[in-house]
Amino acid sequence: MTKLNIAEALQWASSMLAASSESAHADAEALLLHCLGKSRSFLYTWPERNLSAEQHKQFTQMVLRRSQGVPVAHIVGEREFWSLPFIVNESTLIPRPDTEILVETALNLPLSDDIAVLDLGTGTGAIALALAHERQGWKVTAVDKVEAAVELACANRDNLKLPQVEILQSDWFSAVQGRKFQLIVSNPPYIEEDDEHLEMGDVRFEPRSALTAADQGFADLFHIAAHAREHLLPGGYLLLEHGYAQAVNLREKLAELGYQQVATVRDFGSNDRCTLGFWPG
């Protein structure tokens, strides 16, 4: 096998991925960093450093998988969220940077340091564990209907050393009946079932059950909004992530259900991303 140095490897991979990825160079960097086990600065400090035969073989295989559309996060088995490393797999969604807006919004709410928090449909556990990492006194419970997702969230909890987070298998509120919280958060399925974007990009490799919802994507959002009232303490908040075109309808539904101070927060691309409501009790 011909020896390949770091600069040549990046150039080859970027060329290979150009037709299938809008982020070909960034993908090439991420895959090579995983193979080398180094920081990004290493790539440009030692561009002439040769890959070992094993690294070359592994990198080639990873680039070929990426060229077939497999998400980088699934190839390397990890994705950073809120500056924390999360194990990922095909059982649930890959954490997205825009969801950090929900975490940031939650942390900025006028809540005490010892509240009870519920994260519905936790997936990798990204939201719940990011909140617990920032607020060590919060009593965070995370739930998911899918057993494999619960196992993944537990693995991330252990990896991040946040044993205080409770993780349960639950169909929305089924495992927390009779319990109340000062904050309920969720990034539920909200994409329309026939959305053409489901056949594009990374979402092709993610479970549809974690992406789509009936009633033009509103079924789970509205279900959570209605039933959260039974589980919110007076003065508590509900915070939901949603699609960029769903904010108006969701705000109207929250107001109809009796929530107050209803407001929408935009993401890094200035799209409506999450909506919150205050529960007066």
Side-chain angles (χ1 to χ4, degrees):
M1 182 179 290
T2 305
K3 285 190 175 183
L4 205 65
N5 66 34
I6 286 173
E8 292 166 340
L10 284 175
Q11 183 178 9
W12 169 78
S14 297
S15 176
M16 281 286 293
L17 298 176
S20 58
S21 173
E22 296 179 354
S23 55
H25 188 72
D27 294 349
E29 285 185 342
L31 296 175
L32 187 54
L33 288 174
H34 182 76
C35 287
L36 299 175
K38 301 290 186 179
S39 64
R40 187 173 181 274
S41 62
F42 184 88
L43 299 182
Y44 299 97
T45 304
W46 307 101
E48 74 287 351
R49 185 73 59 89
N50 286 332
L51 277 64
S52 69
E54 183 58 35
Q55 288 169 339
H56 190 171
K57 179 182 178 181
Q58 182 187 20
F59 185 57
T60 300
Q61 292 172 341
M62 295 171 82
V63 170
L64 290 175
R65 289 186 67 198
R66 180 57 183 153
S67 71
Q68 295 164 357
V70 180
V72 171
H74 285 172
I75 297 171
V76 304
E78 185 176 285
R79 170 61 62 86
E80 183 179 283
F81 179 86
W82 201 257
S83 299
L84 299 170
F86 283 86
I87 306 164
V88 299
N89 60 33
E90 295 82 357
S91 67
T92 189
L93 297 186
I94 300 166
R96 264 69 167 184
D98 284 334
T99 300
E100 293 187 357
I101 295 297
L102 186 147
V103 174
E104 182 179 308
T105 302
L107 294 172
N108 286 332
L109 291 172
L111 295 165
S112 66
D113 294 332
D114 59 353
I115 63 167
V117 181
L118 175 64
D119 175 28
L120 295 163
T122 197
T124 60
I127 294 172
L129 295 169
L131 292 175
H133 181 266
E134 295 297 322
R135 298 286 187 270
Q136 296 285 327
W138 283 8
K139 305 172 186 68
V140 180
T141 298
V143 304
D144 202 289
K145 181 179 180 179
V146 178
E147 183 179 358
V150 172
E151 293 173 355
L152 180 60
C154 287
N156 279 314
R157 175 187 61 189
D158 296 344
N159 189 50
L160 293 171
K161 296 179 172 57
L162 294 167
Q164 73 272 26
V165 178
E166 178 186 33
I167 300 175
L168 306 171
Q169 187 171 2
S170 178
D171 186 359
W172 297 131
F173 297 96
S174 65
V176 293
Q177 290 302 308
R179 295 173 59 179
K180 291 185 180 289
F181 305 85
Q182 283 96 345
L183 174 63
I184 297 176
V185 298
S186 183
N187 176 18
Y190 55 73
I191 300 175
E192 292 187 55
E193 294 168 308
D194 59 353
D195 192 306
E196 62 182 12
H197 296 95
L198 292 168
E199 303 303 328
M200 304 176 186
D202 289 357
V203 294
R204 292 173 295 164
F205 296 85
E206 296 175 295
R208 289 290 173 91
S209 62
L211 291 163
T212 65
D215 299 333
Q216 298 180 306
F218 283 101
D220 291 320
L221 288 165
F222 286 0
H223 175 87
I224 292 169
H227 291 276
R229 297 176 298 174
E230 306 161 23
H231 297 276
L232 278 169
L233 289 163
Y237 289 87
L238 173 66
L239 180 56
L240 299 170
E241 180 170 337
H242 52 75
Y244 71 93
Q246 294 175 311
V248 173
N249 287 351
L250 185 55
R251 286 199 301 269
E252 291 175 351
K253 173 58 73 171
L254 290 180
E256 176 188 316
L257 291 169
Y259 292 90
Q260 299 177 2
Q261 303 173 26
V262 176
T264 297
V265 180
R266 292 186 172 184
D267 62 22
F268 302 116
S270 294
N271 296 308
D272 290 338
R273 180 55 56 193
C274 56
T275 293
L276 64 91
F278 171 83
W279 183 242

